[in-house]
Amino acid sequence: MARPRKPLLSRDRIVDAARALVDAEGLAAVSTRRLAAELGVSGPSLYNHFRTKDQILEAVADSVSALVDLSMFEPAQDGTPRDWRTALHDWAVSYRAALREHPNIVPVLAQGPGRRPAGLRLADAVFGAMVDAGWPPAQATSNGALMRYFVMGSALGSFAGGFVDDEAAYDPADYPHLGQAHLLADRQELIDERAFETGLTALLDGLAVQYAQVGAATR
């Protein structure tokens, strides 16, 4: 009886295994030796697809960028451009969701898209939508950078989760305003989501004011 064949090694299999490892143990856990063991192959076989560990991490980062929905930047079926503010809001929500699923790869993504195809498509979609909506190119670039800073920061950690649930840690003599801080961790999801939406709305409100000023200056 023929022995079952192992799945062929491919870039996708390597990236999937590396992403799972990053998710579970962080960036430092990734090495070609560790990945080879996870995949049941010899170390040198990885070099047929990736020359270095950094290339693997770049591919993992791009696989996460590829999870971000960009459809909100496409024109409606009748060809009408999407409202830039609504599109930017929906993109930020999708972007954050992807990063929150894979927060350990954020430091690599924070370095910028480099040559990563999905990362470049993301940047192109945001910039193009802003320019098409009437933003000057320089301000469109700043808008994209601003949103990126905000979304990545929100994905890196939980504000509410950073407080211990021990009431004794917040002695009112030292922290007179933190009497309820021990309750924050239990409400982590609600607080973090509300903070994200509050911040996102504030950013978009500010951009809307600038957008009106841009329109007034060009009329």
Side-chain angles (χ1 to χ4, degrees):
M1 184 174 179
R3 297 175 61 185
R5 296 178 60 188
K6 290 182 180 179
L8 292 175
L9 190 62
S10 66
R11 285 180 65 91
D12 287 346
R13 280 194 68 210
I14 296 170
V15 170
D16 288 348
R19 185 173 57 239
L21 194 54
V22 170
D23 288 345
E25 301 181 34
L27 296 171
V30 178
S31 68
T32 53
R33 177 180 297 180
R34 178 72 182 276
L35 278 175
E38 294 283 337
L39 292 163
V41 299
S42 63
S45 63
L46 298 179
Y47 297 123
N48 293 325
H49 302 278
F50 296 99
R51 292 194 300 273
T52 66
K53 167 186 169 178
D54 286 344
Q55 286 187 350
I56 295 172
L57 292 177
E58 287 284 306
V60 170
D62 213 36
S63 74
V64 173
S65 292
L67 300 174
V68 182
D69 183 15
L70 300 177
S71 63
M72 67 286 295
F73 296 119
E74 298 171 1
Q77 290 186 348
D78 63 0
T80 304
R82 305 282 186 178
D83 172 66
W84 69 267
R85 176 176 174 146
T86 302
L88 208 56
H89 173 278
D90 294 348
W91 167 73
V93 170
S94 177
Y95 193 13
R96 178 172 178 259
L99 298 189
R100 290 195 72 190
E101 287 293 317
H102 308 281
N104 290 339
I105 199 64
V106 171
V108 179
L109 287 165
Q111 297 171 11
R115 297 177 181 272
R116 299 191 297 268
L120 290 170
R121 283 193 295 270
L122 188 155
D124 181 74
V126 176
F127 178 78
M130 296 300 98
V131 171
D132 289 346
W135 285 97
Q139 187 61 47
T141 300
S142 297
N143 292 354
L146 168 68
M147 299 304 295
R148 183 167 163 269
Y149 298 151
F150 175 68
V151 173
M152 285 191 173
S154 71
L156 275 175
S158 164
F159 171 81
F163 291 85
V164 299
D165 61 359
D166 179 6
E167 187 173 3
Y170 308 102
D171 188 328
D174 296 321
Y175 316 109
H177 304 295
L178 297 182
Q180 301 295 307
H182 64 286
L183 302 175
L184 293 177
D186 285 340
R187 303 172 186 176
Q188 175 177 329
E189 190 70 20
L190 173 64
I191 293 170
D192 290 346
E193 288 297 324
R194 188 168 57 199
F196 175 75
E197 280 294 337
T198 299
L200 181 56
T201 298
L203 286 177
L204 294 174
D205 284 347
L207 289 178
V209 172
Q210 292 187 30
Y211 185 70
Q213 294 171 346
V214 168
T218 57
R219 286 197 291 269

PDB file of all heavy atoms in Angstrom, residues 4 76 98 109 139 144 159 173 176 193:
ATOM      1  N   PRO A   4       1.069   7.631   2.382  1.00  0.00           N
ATOM      2  CA  PRO A   4       0.466   8.935   2.068  1.00  0.00           C
ATOM      3  C   PRO A   4       1.546   9.984   1.835  1.00  0.00           C
ATOM      4  O   PRO A   4       2.553  10.021   2.537  1.00  0.00           O
ATOM      5  CB  PRO A   4      -0.359   9.253   3.322  1.00  0.00           C
ATOM      6  CG  PRO A   4       0.227   8.410   4.403  1.00  0.00           C
ATOM      7  CD  PRO A   4       0.744   7.167   3.735  1.00  0.00           C
ATOM      8  N   ALA A  76     -19.806  53.073  -6.608  1.00  0.00           N
ATOM      9  CA  ALA A  76     -21.052  52.320  -6.561  1.00  0.00           C
ATOM     10  C   ALA A  76     -21.365  51.763  -7.948  1.00  0.00           C
ATOM     11  O   ALA A  76     -20.717  52.113  -8.946  1.00  0.00           O
ATOM     12  CB  ALA A  76     -22.181  53.220  -6.081  1.00  0.00           C
ATOM     13  N   ALA A  98      -8.413  43.321  11.225  1.00  0.00           N
ATOM     14  CA  ALA A  98      -7.343  42.441  10.736  1.00  0.00           C
ATOM     15  C   ALA A  98      -6.142  42.480  11.677  1.00  0.00           C
ATOM     16  O   ALA A  98      -5.550  41.436  11.998  1.00  0.00           O
ATOM     17  CB  ALA A  98      -6.927  42.851   9.322  1.00  0.00           C
ATOM     18  N   LEU A 109       4.449  45.608  10.141  1.00  0.00           N
ATOM     19  CA  LEU A 109       3.586  46.445   9.314  1.00  0.00           C
ATOM     20  C   LEU A 109       3.870  47.925   9.544  1.00  0.00           C
ATOM     21  O   LEU A 109       3.761  48.737   8.616  1.00  0.00           O
ATOM     22  CB  LEU A 109       2.117  46.148   9.629  1.00  0.00           C
ATOM     23  CG  LEU A 109       1.584  44.820   9.106  1.00  0.00           C
ATOM     24  CD1 LEU A 109       0.258  44.480   9.777  1.00  0.00           C
ATOM     25  CD2 LEU A 109       1.404  44.875   7.594  1.00  0.00           C
ATOM     26  N   GLN A 139      -2.240  66.521   1.339  1.00  0.00           N
ATOM     27  CA  GLN A 139      -3.132  66.288   2.467  1.00  0.00           C
ATOM     28  C   GLN A 139      -3.676  64.870   2.444  1.00  0.00           C
ATOM     29  O   GLN A 139      -3.891  64.256   3.489  1.00  0.00           O
ATOM     30  CB  GLN A 139      -4.294  67.284   2.442  1.00  0.00           C
ATOM     31  CG  GLN A 139      -5.180  67.223   3.677  1.00  0.00           C
ATOM     32  CD  GLN A 139      -4.434  67.548   4.955  1.00  0.00           C
ATOM     33  OE1 GLN A 139      -3.689  68.523   5.015  1.00  0.00           O
ATOM     34  NE2 GLN A 139      -4.600  66.729   5.979  1.00  0.00           N
ATOM     35  N   GLY A 144      -3.889  59.536   5.106  1.00  0.00           N
ATOM     36  CA  GLY A 144      -3.585  58.114   5.176  1.00  0.00           C
ATOM     37  C   GLY A 144      -2.640  57.788   6.314  1.00  0.00           C
ATOM     38  O   GLY A 144      -2.821  56.800   7.032  1.00  0.00           O
ATOM     39  N   PHE A 159      -6.375  49.280  26.313  1.00  0.00           N
ATOM     40  CA  PHE A 159      -6.317  50.218  27.439  1.00  0.00           C
ATOM     41  C   PHE A 159      -6.938  49.582  28.678  1.00  0.00           C
ATOM     42  O   PHE A 159      -6.334  49.527  29.741  1.00  0.00           O
ATOM     43  CB  PHE A 159      -7.052  51.514  27.081  1.00  0.00           C
ATOM     44  CG  PHE A 159      -7.224  52.445  28.246  1.00  0.00           C
ATOM     45  CD1 PHE A 159      -6.181  53.274  28.634  1.00  0.00           C
ATOM     46  CD2 PHE A 159      -8.409  52.493  28.963  1.00  0.00           C
ATOM     47  CE1 PHE A 159      -6.321  54.129  29.715  1.00  0.00           C
ATOM     48  CE2 PHE A 159      -8.565  53.348  30.049  1.00  0.00           C
ATOM     49  CZ  PHE A 159      -7.514  54.165  30.419  1.00  0.00           C
ATOM     50  N   ALA A 173      -5.659  56.617  48.711  1.00  0.00           N
ATOM     51  CA  ALA A 173      -4.713  57.621  49.193  1.00  0.00           C
ATOM     52  C   ALA A 173      -3.705  57.998  48.114  1.00  0.00           C
ATOM     53  O   ALA A 173      -3.214  59.136  48.061  1.00  0.00           O
ATOM     54  CB  ALA A 173      -3.984  57.099  50.431  1.00  0.00           C
ATOM     55  N   PRO A 176      -6.726  58.668  43.994  1.00  0.00           N
ATOM     56  CA  PRO A 176      -8.084  59.017  44.428  1.00  0.00           C
ATOM     57  C   PRO A 176      -9.141  58.921  43.326  1.00  0.00           C
ATOM     58  O   PRO A 176     -10.332  58.872  43.639  1.00  0.00           O
ATOM     59  CB  PRO A 176      -7.930  60.464  44.921  1.00  0.00           C
ATOM     60  CG  PRO A 176      -6.709  60.991  44.230  1.00  0.00           C
ATOM     61  CD  PRO A 176      -5.794  59.812  44.111  1.00  0.00           C
ATOM     62  N   GLU A 193     -13.722  49.134  22.260  1.00  0.00           N
ATOM     63  CA  GLU A 193     -14.503  49.420  21.053  1.00  0.00           C
ATOM     64  C   GLU A 193     -15.056  50.838  21.101  1.00  0.00           C
ATOM     65  O   GLU A 193     -15.042  51.558  20.090  1.00  0.00           O
ATOM     66  CB  GLU A 193     -15.648  48.414  20.919  1.00  0.00           C
ATOM     67  CG  GLU A 193     -15.216  47.007  20.538  1.00  0.00           C
ATOM     68  CD  GLU A 193     -14.553  46.951  19.176  1.00  0.00           C
ATOM     69  OE1 GLU A 193     -14.977  47.702  18.270  1.00  0.00           O
ATOM     70  OE2 GLU A 193     -13.607  46.156  19.008  1.00  0.00           O
TER      71      GLU A 193
END
